[in-house]
């Protein structure tokens, strides 16, 4: 295993050349500690109630062999030569269901703004399924805008990691099921940092060599969560005054000219080119970029990092609910999920997928982002659940920071 400092628990570029595909593999949910952290995500006090529209759709069989799935960019396996999506093609061949797969989920709030008008009007969004982060799932459930899943159509749900089968924001997983999980840390391009490793938020916020070439995430829980950790605060237990102090620090960093801006999933191109020297980034995105540019660095700071999951949900008035449930069931086959995880580099939430990955390539177990050590898990944190009033207040403050409004 390549030696590395405690702070520099990033991806070993040499490992990228030895993996099964162009993408490295991330299957770290074999550790109970990680699954427990993921299970802690969400919003406290969420109430779940049966959605009338889901009851009407419960027994309806889809006659059209189609469905529409919105997802984040670079979040499914792709054949690098043909640009086909092998698991989706195999799903269509197996079921006859043709999937319109759209990578238009770049940021939770941005996507919510796209679909909110239709959901509020109890109208079809034009999408049958999408993948939202834990806290957004909690919000959608609270608003009664997603349908209860018919588990009879998803027998492979039994393969979900045990500690993820019952989560705070969706007890019993009635309305959601996990897709992938990951960490939030720091990505950097040594060519743009003068060869420096960027290992702390203090560097990100104050190093003059990075001025104007730093981006943070438009996801409030990632950017504020990482800032709280750098301040010595626990994102699972912070107070109003802690949040205000984090926003004050971020405002000072922005006003200093240190930031290039705030991004969703689109930071990858700028990081790869050096237009962005360093940024808050999600594990899988950077590991994918490292396959093409092994010089790129990734750090999980010693002060701590954030952990999260993205989850399948089916919106109200979806025209092909059963087809969407058949799709979820297909991807919950450990062999299928292993193929996806082997490409996207995030953490598999399905039991058995990690064993398949390790059997195919034993070296994969040496990557601390694939099988995190207890030390790495001990520095992983979730953002505490918010009340509706807190969410409104905090989002308003964060939006003023990111947009200048």
């Amino acid at each position: 295993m390549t030696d590395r400092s405690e702070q520099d628990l990033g991806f070993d570029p040499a490992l990228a050349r030895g993996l099964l595909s162009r993408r490295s593999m991330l299957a770290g949910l074999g550790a109970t500690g990680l699954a427990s952290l993921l299970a802690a995500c969400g919003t406290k006090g969420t109430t779940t109630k049966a959605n009338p529209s889901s009851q009407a759709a419960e027994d309806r069989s889809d006659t059209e062999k189609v469905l529409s799935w919105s997802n984040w960019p670079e979040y499914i396996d792709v054949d690098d030569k043909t640009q086909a999506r092998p698991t989706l093609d195999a799903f269509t061949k197996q079921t006859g269901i043709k999937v319109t797969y759209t990578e238009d989920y770049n940021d939770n709030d941005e996507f919510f703004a796209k679909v909110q008008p239709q959901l509020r009007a109890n109208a079809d969004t034009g999408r049958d399924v999408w993948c939202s982060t834990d806290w957004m799932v909690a919000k959608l459930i609270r608003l009664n805008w997603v349908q209860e899943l018919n588990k009879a159509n998803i027998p492979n749900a039994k393969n979900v990691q045990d500690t993820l089968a019952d989560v705070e924001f969706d007890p019993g997983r009635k309305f959601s099921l996990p897709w992938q999980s990951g960490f939030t840390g720091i990505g950097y391009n040594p060519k743009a940092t003068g060869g420096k490793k960027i290992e702390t938020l203090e560097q990100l916020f104050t190093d003059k060599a990075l001025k104007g070439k730093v981006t943070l995430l438009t996801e409030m829980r990632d950017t504020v969560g990482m800032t709280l950790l750098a301040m010595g605060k626990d994102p699972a237990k912070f107070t109003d005054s802690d949040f205000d102090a984090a926003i004050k620090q971020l405002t000072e960093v922005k006003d200093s000219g240190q930031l290039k801006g705030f991004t969703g999933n689109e930071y990858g191109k700028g990081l790869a080119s050096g237009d962005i020297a360093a940024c808050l980034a999600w594990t899988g995105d950077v590991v994918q970029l490292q396959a093409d540019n092994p010089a790129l660095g990734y750090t999980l700071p010693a002060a701590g990092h954030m952990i999260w999951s993205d989850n399948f949900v089916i919106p109200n008035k979806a025209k092909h609910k059963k087809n969407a449930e058949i799709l979820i069931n297909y991807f919950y086959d450990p062999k299928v999920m292993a193929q996806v995880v082997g490409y996207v580099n995030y953490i598999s939430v399905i039991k058995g997928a990690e064993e398949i990955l390790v059997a195919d390539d034993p070296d994969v177990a040496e990557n601390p982002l694939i099988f995190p050590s207890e030390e790495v898990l001990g520095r992983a944190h979730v953002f505490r659940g918010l009340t509706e009033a807190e969410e409104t207040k905090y989002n308003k403050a964060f939006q003023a920071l990111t947009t200048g409004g």
Side-chain angles (χ1 to χ4, degrees):
M1 181 174 180
T2 302
D3 291 334
R4 65 194 75 220
S5 68
E6 176 178 327
Q7 291 92 347
D8 190 21
L9 286 168
F11 180 75
D12 179 1
L15 199 59
R17 295 185 287 273
L19 300 184
L20 285 175
S21 68
R22 177 175 174 270
R23 303 300 190 222
S24 68
M25 294 179 284
L26 194 63
L29 274 182
T32 301
L34 179 56
S36 298
L37 277 168
L38 292 172
C41 297
T43 299
K44 293 181 179 178
T46 298
T47 58
T48 58
K49 53 186 177 181
N51 190 316
S53 65
S54 71
Q55 303 307 309
E58 189 75 14
D59 298 323
R60 178 174 60 83
S61 296
D62 284 300
T63 56
E64 295 182 299
K65 292 289 189 176
V66 296
L67 72 88
S68 176
W69 178 10
S70 283
N71 207 357
W72 301 73
E74 304 292 335
Y75 222 16
I76 199 167
D77 54 309
V78 176
D79 184 305
D80 293 315
K81 293 182 179 179
T82 66
Q83 296 304 301
R85 298 184 175 101
T87 54
L88 279 183
D89 289 346
F91 171 74
T92 298
K93 184 176 181 180
Q94 176 179 309
T95 65
I97 300 171
K98 184 177 181 180
V99 182
T100 298
Y101 184 83
T102 309
E103 295 182 334
D104 62 345
Y105 202 125
N106 191 60
D107 168 279
N108 280 291
D109 286 318
E110 178 186 87
F111 186 82
F112 182 76
K114 292 180 186 178
V115 298
Q116 182 181 13
Q118 293 93 344
L119 291 171
R120 188 176 296 279
N122 199 27
D124 177 23
T125 65
R127 300 166 174 88
D128 298 302
V129 65
W130 63 65
C131 296
S132 289
T133 308
D134 302 312
W135 66 269
M136 180 55 73
V137 174
K139 182 174 183 176
L140 291 166
I141 294 172
R142 187 173 69 239
L143 291 168
N144 201 25
W145 285 354
V146 289
Q147 301 188 50
E148 186 168 343
L149 301 172
N150 182 354
K151 296 293 183 61
N153 294 326
I154 317 174
N156 284 338
K158 67 181 184 296
N159 295 329
V160 174
Q161 293 285 345
D162 293 340
T163 51
L164 292 177
D166 186 22
V167 291
E168 181 187 34
F169 60 87
D170 184 12
R173 284 290 188 181
K174 293 181 179 180
F175 297 91
S176 69
L177 283 167
W179 168 242
Q180 305 286 321
S181 301
F183 297 137
T184 304
I186 299 172
Y188 61 93
N189 187 327
K191 289 184 178 179
T193 66
K196 296 180 184 177
K197 292 181 178 180
I198 308 302
E199 299 176 329
T200 68
L201 255 70
E202 183 180 5
Q203 286 177 278
L204 204 65
F205 288 172
T206 64
D207 190 330
K208 293 182 179 178
L210 307 180
K211 190 170 184 177
K213 296 189 292 183
V214 171
T215 61
L216 306 180
L217 291 165
T218 53
E219 293 288 331
M220 183 263 287
R221 286 158 179 80
D222 286 314
T223 294
V224 173
M226 292 292 287
T227 303
L228 286 167
L229 286 167
M231 294 166 57
K233 303 294 183 179
D234 185 348
K237 300 176 181 177
F238 69 90
T239 64
D240 263 4
S241 61
D242 293 333
F243 182 88
D244 292 342
I247 291 294
K248 183 176 184 290
Q249 180 174 3
L250 288 165
T251 300
E252 291 171 353
V253 172
K254 179 182 177 181
D255 291 345
S256 74
Q258 186 75 359
L259 302 183
K260 180 179 177 65
F262 294 81
T263 73
N265 218 166
E266 72 272 16
Y267 57 79
K269 183 176 180 181
L271 183 63
S273 69
D275 189 39
I276 295 172
C279 60
L280 290 184
W282 296 307
T283 44
D285 288 348
V286 177
V287 177
Q288 288 180 33
L289 292 170
Q290 286 174 323
D292 291 327
N293 184 355
L296 294 180
Y298 190 80
T299 298
L300 295 175
H305 49 275
M306 303 302 293
I307 190 170
W308 44 266
S309 295
D310 291 322
N311 309 271
F312 287 113
V313 291
I314 298 176
N316 289 355
K317 299 296 182 179
K319 292 182 177 179
H320 308 101
K321 179 177 185 285
K322 184 177 180 181
N323 288 350
E325 291 164 344
I326 293 171
L327 175 87
I328 296 170
N329 187 65
Y330 166 79
F331 278 102
Y332 276 16
D333 180 323
K335 292 181 180 178
V336 176
M337 185 58 76
Q339 187 174 348
V340 174
V341 171
Y343 188 91
V344 304
N345 314 302
Y346 284 102
I347 299 169
S348 171
V349 298
I350 298 300
K351 291 181 287 188
E354 61 267 32
E355 288 84 357
I356 292 170
L357 291 169
V358 172
D360 286 337
D361 188 347
D363 289 341
V364 76
E366 296 185 6
N367 190 319
L369 295 180
I370 297 168
F371 293 100
S373 67
E374 288 302 316
E375 190 274 331
V376 172
L377 294 176
R379 292 189 286 111
H381 297 262
V382 296
F383 199 91
R384 73 169 174 83
L386 302 180
T387 65
E388 189 169 357
E390 285 177 327
E391 185 174 336
T392 299
K393 176 183 177 181
Y394 294 164
N395 281 343
K396 183 177 180 180
F398 189 69
Q399 185 176 17
L401 169 71
T402 60
T403 64

